[in-house]
Amino acid sequence: MAVSSSDVLIGQGRPNAAGLRRDQLFERWTLLALTAPALLLVLITMIIPVGWLFWLSFLADDGSLSLEHYRRMIEQPSYGRTFLITFEVSLLTTAICIMLGYPLAYVLSQLPRRIANLCMIAVLLPFWTSLLVRTYAWLVLLQRQGLINAWGINLGLWDEPLALVHNLNGTLIGMVHIMLPFLILPVYGNMRALDRDLLKAAANLGASPTRAFWLVFFPLTLPGLLAGTLIVFILCLGFYVTPAVLGGGKVIMVSNRIANDIELFFNWGAASALGVVLLILTLLFIALAARLVRLDRMLGGGPG
Amino acid sequence: MSWLDEPASETQIPHRSRLWLYVLAALVLTFLVVPTLIVVPMSFSGSQYLEFPPRQWSLRWYESYFASSSWMQATVTSFKAGALTSLVATPLGTMAAYGIFLSRSRWTVLLYVILITPIIVPVILVGIAVFYAYVRLSLVNTLIGIVLAHSMLAIPIVMLIVTSALKSFDMNQELVARSLGANRLKAFLLVTLPQIRFAVITSAILAFLTSFDEVIVAMFVSGGDNSTLTRNMFTALRDQIDPTIASISTIMIVVSSLLLAVSQLFARSRKD
């Protein structure tokens, strides 16, 4: 069915034009048909069920259409607390990631390529080990008779074992560890790409190192920093495993609450309503991110 | 006069004034690497409480892992699910990436967005949605169910990698092959695929790891004889800290490092 150039040259009359059009149409449908199996899988296992839950969230317990689940979310203060802690944990994680990740990216961006690449392996290593394994590692390190407490007491830094895990501290440590590479990568890429002659110029014109950093370097790294910040924050909103294991039941984020609604109470309506709110929040922040930064560039590009 | 007083960057700041920055960077790097690596020696500890460095070395946690039929069964399930996910998601994702990349239809953007949603939607929502659907399709606790759900999660990853490879591929080569008489499939298999094969292999490895490391969906839809390793680990972690998990973690670290090293080798040989 290939359309070769000779066909075009010879084809002057109408029969050929119709044939070409038919070929083109066939071609287009063949290409679209290639996406069909993947599309079918995503539709059946994800889009339709999510739509189903969406519908379910608007049904009262007796099966009638109502906003009961959403109303309860506003009226019951426990829901407010869940959303509050979700935002609190996400904001804190993002802030700590910026404070730790930006300086590291800055140092790495000034090292010779070879050494920087070696260090990047260290940044990427946790990226590629199972989230569950890393969460487990933190559990072992942070627990009461864990390594950190044992060393801290041996070195005389503190006397009593600190409560480092099964609370907000543990959750934050675990989440920062998981999220740091997501911040470092875009910031590092941004820093490597910018024109360092601008800093020489600033120094030449008499700017002190601090001034040159804040007035010239830092503003130029804002796109990367913004992209990293948004990616980290959006991913944090949906966290489940780390707060479940390291939070010890004290840090209940939206995802944990959804799982509890299903596992403990079999309350599909309430879980679905929470899921819908979480999805809408996520999409809102992605939309915001898409307006602020070229997100497609960060994700490796869209179609075409 | 030492290197400490030499300018460290274009701003002419001497190393001495920013030693704190190097210390901080070293600490952050340590923070990133050490927790993962410390599990490995600890898994060889002989005592009930995981110590570092272990006072006596032993293989007892590996023995208890290999002796446990439920851990063994879960390991087999995880490897099966990972391999099958890779076998399903790689061709499906590659086909979809190819179709969307080449077609000029106005539907392609919509198709692309739909196919990429599994990495946008919060995983917990995917988990309960899949669970809800599987109850009706009686796919809960089946290997097929896990593989289909994990393939859905892996398709966007395969698509992203293959699409970016197609972007740097000169499609005119395929046109040449077709004008010389090859049909589309043959042109793809003989001309395009060999040139994007590294991207395809990388995406196959990542599809395997997506399934192998996945917790939340597996928590909802795998169980009984078809529990995955991560699902069992997660339940065990919530109850108490069983040192056997240290040995399983070590094995999981070895599996993902090996696979990633393989994909890195492929990436390197592409550059030569």
Side-chain angles (χ1 to χ4, degrees):
Chain A
M1 277 299 167
V3 185
S4 64
S5 49
S6 56
D7 287 341
V8 181
L9 287 177
I10 299 163
Q12 306 280 340
R14 296 184 74 191
N16 264 331
L20 281 176
R21 211 175 303 129
R22 205 174 48 237
D23 273 3
Q24 200 182 12
L25 207 66
F26 177 82
E27 177 102 353
R28 180 180 293 170
W29 281 106
T30 318
L31 287 173
L32 284 183
L34 282 174
T35 63
L39 193 65
L40 199 68
L41 182 64
V42 173
L43 279 178
I44 290 178
T45 52
M46 146 115 206
I47 308 277
I48 295 173
V50 167
W52 217 334
L53 293 186
F54 209 89
W55 167 245
L56 217 60
S57 73
F58 292 105
L59 292 184
D61 295 334
D62 58 4
S64 63
L65 218 71
S66 86
L67 288 172
E68 193 192 331
H69 296 299
Y70 293 95
R71 206 176 47 232
R72 215 180 285 153
M73 220 181 281
I74 297 168
E75 282 166 2
Q76 280 187 14
S78 71
Y79 280 99
R81 275 201 299 278
T82 306
F83 280 106
L84 207 65
I85 195 120
T86 307
F87 277 108
E88 191 189 333
V89 169
S90 304
L91 281 174
L92 282 172
T93 306
T94 312
I96 301 172
C97 279
I98 293 172
M99 286 189 299
L100 298 181
Y102 193 91
L104 177 60
Y106 181 72
V107 171
L108 289 184
S109 75
Q110 296 185 351
L111 290 173
R113 278 264 177 203
R114 205 165 247 288
I115 302 171
N117 284 343
L118 215 64
C119 292
M120 274 325 256
I121 295 178
V123 174
L124 289 173
L125 175 86
F127 209 42
W128 293 124
T129 29
S130 159
L131 182 140
L132 201 56
V133 170
R134 285 183 283 157
T135 306
Y136 170 71
W138 280 116
L139 193 60
V140 172
L141 289 178
L142 297 174
Q143 60 180 316
R144 268 184 167 278
Q145 18 355 16
L147 262 193
I148 308 271
N149 266 323
W151 284 352
I153 292 169
N154 276 345
L155 294 173
L157 296 174
W158 57 84
D159 302 323
E160 290 287 300
L162 299 178
L164 295 170
V165 81
H166 298 309
N167 53 24
L168 186 64
N169 295 339
T171 311
L172 284 178
I173 294 174
M175 283 178 67
V176 167
H177 186 237
I178 290 163
M179 286 290 113
L180 255 180
F182 289 95
L183 187 100
I184 293 174
L185 287 179
V187 173
Y188 174 78
N190 192 166
M191 286 175 175
R192 273 279 180 206
L194 67 80
D195 187 356
R196 296 203 160 257
D197 284 345
L198 293 169
L199 288 170
K200 269 186 210 155
N204 252 348
L205 294 169
S208 70
T210 323
R211 220 171 133 78
F213 174 82
W214 286 112
L215 285 182
V216 179
F217 187 84
F218 184 71
L220 287 172
T221 58
L222 277 179
L225 184 60
L226 196 64
T229 304
L230 285 164
I231 293 171
V232 169
F233 184 75
I234 291 168
L235 289 174
C236 280
L237 287 179
F239 251 68
Y240 172 76
V241 175
T242 315
V245 175
L246 299 177
K250 294 194 197 83
V251 184
I252 298 176
M253 291 176 66
V254 178
S255 293
N256 304 89
R257 179 132 190 181
I258 294 174
N260 286 348
D261 276 342
I262 298 293
E263 288 181 325
L264 305 176
F265 309 115
F266 300 104
N267 192 341
W268 284 94
S272 304
L274 268 176
V276 168
V277 174
L278 180 61
L279 178 62
I280 290 172
L281 277 176
T282 310
L283 292 180
L284 275 179
F285 280 106
I286 291 178
L288 177 75
R291 297 205 77 171
L292 291 176
V293 282
R294 291 287 312 274
L295 205 67
D296 54 341
R297 213 181 279 166
M298 300 291 166
L299 285 173
Chain B
M1 190 67 194
S2 67
W3 68 274
L4 281 170
D5 297 309
E6 286 167 20
S9 79
E10 287 83 352
T11 61
Q12 305 302 312
I13 189 169
H15 285 289
R16 189 187 296 283
S17 326
R18 51 177 221 175
L19 274 179
W20 64 273
L21 190 63
Y22 303 145
V23 174
L24 179 63
L27 284 177
V28 177
L29 270 183
T30 317
F31 170 77
L32 280 167
V33 183
V34 167
T36 322
L37 292 186
I38 217 160
V39 174
V40 180
M42 280 170 108
S43 70
F44 293 100
S45 157
S47 83
Q48 176 68 42
Y49 299 106
L50 295 170
E51 308 159 313
F52 183 84
R55 249 168 273 171
Q56 69 193 94
W57 299 85
S58 92
L59 289 173
R60 77 185 257 212
W61 304 118
Y62 289 86
E63 279 158 18
S64 93
Y65 165 62
F66 285 104
S68 150
S69 64
S70 71
W71 282 121
M72 281 294 108
Q73 194 159 37
T75 310
V76 172
T77 304
S78 271
F79 273 101
K80 269 195 214 159
L84 290 172
T85 298
S86 187
L87 280 178
V88 173
T90 313
L92 258 55
T94 306
M95 277 161 65
Y98 182 85
I100 286 176
F101 183 74
L102 282 184
S103 71
R104 307 239 168 277
S105 162
R106 65 203 131 103
W107 297 104
T108 49
V109 176
L110 179 68
L111 277 176
Y112 188 81
V113 170
I114 291 179
L115 287 173
I116 218 122
T117 42
I119 51 169
I120 292 174
V121 176
V123 201
I124 189 78
L125 187 60
V126 179
I128 62 170
V130 172
F131 183 43
Y132 193 74
Y134 279 12
V135 171
R136 269 139 202 86
L137 300 168
S138 24
L139 282 172
V140 182
N141 297 357
T142 61
L143 186 62
I144 294 183
I146 302 166
V147 170
L148 289 181
H150 283 171
S151 301
M152 173 261 292
L153 289 174
I155 281 176
I157 296 164
V158 176
M159 278 181 62
L160 286 173
I161 296 171
V162 174
T163 304
S164 76
L166 285 173
K167 272 184 189 162
S168 55
F169 172 73
D170 183 5
M171 267 303 157
N172 287 326
Q173 296 181 45
E174 211 172 90
L175 281 182
V176 171
R178 290 170 67 197
S179 75
L180 291 170
N183 63 25
R184 177 139 236 162
L185 180 66
K186 203 166 171 187
F188 175 77
L189 290 177
L190 292 180
V191 178
T192 312
L193 190 59
Q195 295 187 62
I196 61 164
R197 69 180 183 279
F198 303 111
V200 175
I201 292 168
T202 305
S203 65
I205 290 173
L206 290 183
F208 177 90
L209 284 178
T210 302
S211 163
F212 195 71
D213 288 344
E214 204 284 328
V215 188
I216 302 175
V217 175
M219 186 180 83
F220 283 108
V221 305
S222 87
D225 289 348
N226 284 315
S227 289
T228 66
L229 198 53
T230 48
R231 189 217 137 94
N232 281 4
M233 277 172 77
F234 184 65
T235 352
L237 277 188
R238 280 202 292 192
D239 301 339
Q240 32 117 342
I241 309 181
D242 178 358
T244 314
I245 296 178
S247 62
I248 303 173
S249 294
T250 305
I251 292 170
M252 288 184 75
I253 293 172
V254 170
V255 168
S256 34
S257 318
L258 270 182
L259 285 176
L260 287 161
V262 169
S263 75
Q264 279 303 303
L265 278 181
F266 277 120
R268 183 129 334 143
S269 65
R270 171 171 54 175
K271 277 180 203 139
D272 296 341

